[in-house]
């Protein structure tokens, strides 16, 4: 999200970090056509729609979060926040959650001062008691830096984020500098970063970000693991074998309520390789636990969508598409059972396969459109890093904070997003079947 010289990765008027922009885009996001950089990779991002000096806007990132530049910038930000703390930090903002353009009152002045302290608002902007376009632009910038929907209007989550004390933000930065330094070695010429607290995937090549993808990551009680692995194979149009735990907890109760549930969701019952009719099973007994259940491949109903990315690891998790893409527009994307759902997955797998002979974008599309199971093994496995970074800075001096969703920072950061907040489209409220993770899927 950073100011940048023109490069082959530059697209005009991009919003902040992709994972942040999705929630902001709201209804327009679902209709926006992805922009493409000159290398042909689509970026599902939306243009900023507010008037503010370019220097005050949060730009799209080009520097990977795992890089020497990010370490150096974060170290500098630690010093800046030490100065802020030494000056007394910032005052709490109260009663501001309903402020919009045109609002008046003492809470507006409190918001102005809070934004000025952290550089989200130019002190020279008109200092009136009105919530004007300058304040709205500053609030959008603040929201972008905290992974919140960039509406430019105050909300409960925005006010909560503003009221996290400066001392806690400083301790977050100090904690995450150590995490960032642990990745100071050679990560590879091409690699993938999943930053779990940001629910974001970056693809990196020659030290620059190529594509950004919003992600759905593990729930608080089904956490995505921190690990280093490699992407080795792409499975197009995969089927999904329902794990025994979900059969017992979810599938059987659903069949008791709706005898057509399995048929409607294209889930077959198998016994020794032979298909069994749902009508032949006594769903009010434990008989249902004796069978294997396999969901057909299909972009519209299969929980893995059109593709699964294999990343061998001891946790039984992987990366995949999803049949409920509306979640990518939500602020709260901690919704999986440990696996990582990847937005704009076609661009992601095209990038993964770019050095594998016979696998260009055309071949990727053909494999998807065939509707058949096709496996593509990467000729050179690509390193994949699942990380946990809740605070970092970028070379242009912008600092980012995210909720410590798994409570690993040890500083008791108050949660600013406590529950799912679907804002992208009606699609995000569609009923979901099951979530792959920690189980057999093939």
């Amino acid at each position: 999200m950073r100011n940048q010289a023109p490069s082959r990765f530059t697209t005009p008027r991009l919003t902040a970090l992709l994972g942040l922009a999705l929630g902001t885009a709201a209804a327009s996001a679902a209709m926006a056509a992805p922009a493409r950089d000159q290398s042909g990779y689509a970026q599902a991002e939306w243009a900023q729609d507010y008037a503010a000096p370019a220097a005050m806007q949060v730009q799209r990132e080009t520097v990977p979060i795992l890089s020497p530049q990010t370490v150096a910038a974060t170290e500098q930000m630690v010093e800046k926040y030490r100065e802020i703390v030494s000056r007394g930090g910032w005052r709490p903002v109260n009663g501001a959650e309903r402020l919009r353009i045109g609002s008046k009152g003492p809470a507006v002045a409190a918001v102005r001062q809070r934004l000025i302290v952290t550089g989200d608002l130019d002190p020279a902007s008109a200092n009136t008691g009105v919530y004007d376009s300058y304040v709205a632009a500053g609030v959008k910038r603040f929201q972008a830096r905290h992974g919140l929907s960039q509406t430019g209007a105050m909300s409960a989550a925005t006010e909560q984020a503003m009221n996290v004390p400066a001392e806690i933000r400083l301790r977050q930065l100090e904690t995450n500098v150590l995490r960032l330094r642990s990745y100071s070695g050679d990560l590879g010429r091409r690699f993938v970063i999943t930053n779990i607290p940001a629910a974001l995937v970056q693809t990196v090549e020659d030290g620059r970000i190529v594509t950004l993808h919003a992600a759905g990551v593990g729930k608080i009680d089904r956490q995505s693991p921190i690990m280093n692995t490699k992407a080795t194979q792409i499975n197009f149009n995969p089927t999904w074998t329902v794990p025994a735990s979900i059969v017992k907890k979810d599938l059987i109760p659903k069949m008791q309520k709706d005898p057509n549930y399995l048929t409607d969701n294209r889930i077959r019952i198998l016994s020794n390789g032979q298909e069994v009719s749902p009508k032949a099973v006594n769903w009010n007994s434990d008989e249902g636990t004796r069978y294997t259940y396999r969901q057909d491949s299909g972009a519209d109903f299969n929980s893995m969508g059109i593709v699964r990315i294999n990343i061998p690891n001891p946790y039984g998790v992987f990366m995949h598409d999803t049949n409920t893409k509306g979640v990518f527009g939500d602020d709260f994307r901690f919704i999986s059972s440990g696996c990582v759902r990847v937005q704009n997955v076609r661009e992601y797998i095209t990038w993964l396969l770019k050095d594998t002979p016979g696998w260009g974008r055309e071949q990727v599309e053909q494999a998807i459109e065939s509707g058949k199971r096709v496996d593509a093994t990467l000729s050179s496995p690509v390193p994949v890093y699942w990380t946990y970074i809740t605070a970092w800075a970028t070379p242009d001096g912008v600092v980012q904070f995210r909720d410590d969703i798994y409570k690993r920072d040890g500083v008791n950061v108050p949660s600013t997003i406590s529950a799912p907040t679907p804002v992208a489209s009606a699609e995000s409220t569609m009923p979901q079947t099951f979530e792959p993770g920690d189980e057999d899927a093939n």
Side-chain angles (χ1 to χ4, degrees):
M1 304 173 125
R2 315 303 35 106
N3 297 326
Q4 55 188 355
S7 73
R8 71 188 190 95
F9 301 127
T10 305
T11 51
R13 290 180 60 76
L14 289 171
T15 58
L17 185 63
L18 175 61
L20 314 181
L22 292 167
T24 316
S28 63
M31 299 182 290
R36 287 184 180 270
D37 64 16
Q38 295 178 14
S39 62
Y41 291 105
Q43 302 290 346
E45 301 172 276
W46 292 265
Q48 290 170 329
D49 60 353
Y50 58 92
M56 297 301 294
Q57 297 182 12
V58 178
Q59 304 297 326
R60 175 182 179 266
E61 284 195 67
T62 60
V63 177
I65 192 170
L66 302 183
S67 67
Q69 299 98 311
T70 299
V71 173
T74 307
E75 290 171 341
Q76 292 177 0
M77 194 58 63
V78 167
E79 296 305 316
K80 179 177 179 178
Y81 269 67
R82 284 175 179 165
E83 293 179 8
I84 292 175
V85 170
S86 70
R87 295 196 300 267
W90 45 72
R91 295 180 179 179
V93 173
N94 297 311
E97 62 182 70
R98 297 184 182 277
L99 293 180
R100 306 288 187 272
I101 287 182
S103 297
K104 300 179 181 180
V108 175
V111 170
R112 280 183 180 275
Q113 290 305 310
R114 175 64 182 84
L115 294 172
I116 288 171
V117 171
T118 47
D120 296 299
L121 182 63
D122 188 341
S125 64
N127 188 17
T128 69
V130 178
Y131 195 107
D132 56 21
S133 61
Y134 290 97
V135 176
V139 169
K140 277 196 174 184
R141 187 178 193 271
F142 180 90
Q143 290 167 334
R145 297 192 303 102
H146 292 79
L148 301 172
S149 297
Q150 299 168 57
T151 62
M154 289 294 294
S155 64
T158 304
E159 183 174 307
Q160 289 167 10
M162 286 185 174
N163 288 335
V164 175
E167 294 85 351
I168 288 183
R169 291 307 192 194
L170 171 59
R171 291 172 65 187
Q172 266 193 287
L173 285 165
E174 291 172 337
T175 296
N176 283 275
V177 162
L178 299 177
R179 290 176 181 152
L180 291 167
R181 287 174 183 161
S182 70
Y183 292 94
S184 59
D186 183 8
L187 303 182
R189 187 181 74 84
R190 301 178 72 237
F191 58 92
V192 175
I193 306 166
T194 296
N195 186 15
I196 294 166
L200 182 78
V201 172
Q202 299 176 344
T203 64
V204 180
E205 189 166 348
D206 296 326
R208 307 292 283 179
I209 295 173
V210 181
T211 63
L212 294 169
H213 307 263
V217 299
K219 303 173 186 177
I220 296 171
D221 60 347
R222 295 292 300 275
Q223 299 180 7
S224 296
I226 312 305
M227 63 180 183
N228 302 338
T229 180
K230 292 185 178 181
T232 58
Q233 189 181 63
I234 312 296
N235 304 141
F236 294 94
N237 304 307
T239 58
W240 178 48
T241 300
V242 183
S245 61
I246 290 182
V247 169
K248 186 175 182 179
K249 293 179 182 179
D250 296 304
L251 190 148
I252 291 176
K254 288 181 184 294
M255 284 300 293
Q256 290 171 347
K257 294 180 180 179
D258 178 8
N260 295 318
Y261 183 81
L262 291 181
T263 303
D264 292 344
N265 287 280
R266 314 285 183 88
I267 299 174
R268 301 177 186 275
I269 308 172
L270 301 176
S271 178
N272 297 320
Q274 300 297 313
E275 189 168 352
V276 177
S277 170
K279 296 179 180 179
V281 178
N282 181 357
W283 298 105
N284 293 311
S285 70
D286 65 352
E287 180 185 352
T289 62
R290 304 170 191 170
Y291 302 109
T292 297
Y293 298 84
R294 184 161 297 163
Q295 189 175 40
D296 292 347
S297 62
D300 296 332
F301 54 84
N302 188 283
S303 296
M304 287 189 291
I306 57 174
V307 69
R308 160 180 163 153
I309 300 97
N310 291 323
I311 49 172
N313 63 84
Y315 307 101
V317 294
F318 46 92
M319 304 178 81
H320 63 92
D321 183 30
T322 177
N323 63 324
T324 53
K325 295 179 173 58
V327 69
F328 294 128
D330 295 347
D331 287 349
F332 190 96
R333 299 197 296 278
F334 304 93
I335 37 71
S336 82
S337 294
C339 289
V340 171
R341 309 179 193 179
V342 183
Q343 185 259 5
N344 205 7
V345 74
R346 295 175 190 239
E347 303 299 326
Y348 179 54
I349 59 176
T350 298
W351 181 84
L352 285 175
L353 289 166
K354 64 172 291 189
D355 292 339
T356 300
W359 281 103
R361 181 58 184 260
E362 182 179 355
Q363 288 73 30
V364 166
E365 295 295 339
Q366 288 175 352
I368 293 170
E369 296 305 319
S370 74
K372 299 177 181 178
R373 170 65 180 265
V374 178
D375 296 335
T377 300
L378 277 65
S379 57
S380 298
V382 176
V384 174
Y385 304 96
W386 284 18
T387 64
Y388 193 85
I389 310 296
T390 63
W392 70 98
T394 47
D396 61 349
V398 175
V399 61
Q400 297 277 343
F401 293 102
R402 296 296 181 274
D403 274 8
D404 179 16
I405 194 71
Y406 296 165
K407 303 303 179 187
R408 298 190 176 196
D409 285 355
V411 294
N412 194 28
V413 179
S415 176
T416 60
I417 309 176
S418 58
T421 53
V423 294
S425 70
E427 187 180 11
S428 64
T429 63
M430 290 174 58
Q432 189 175 351
T433 52
F434 303 118
E435 167 58 33
D438 298 328
E439 78 266 347
D440 175 41
N442 50 33

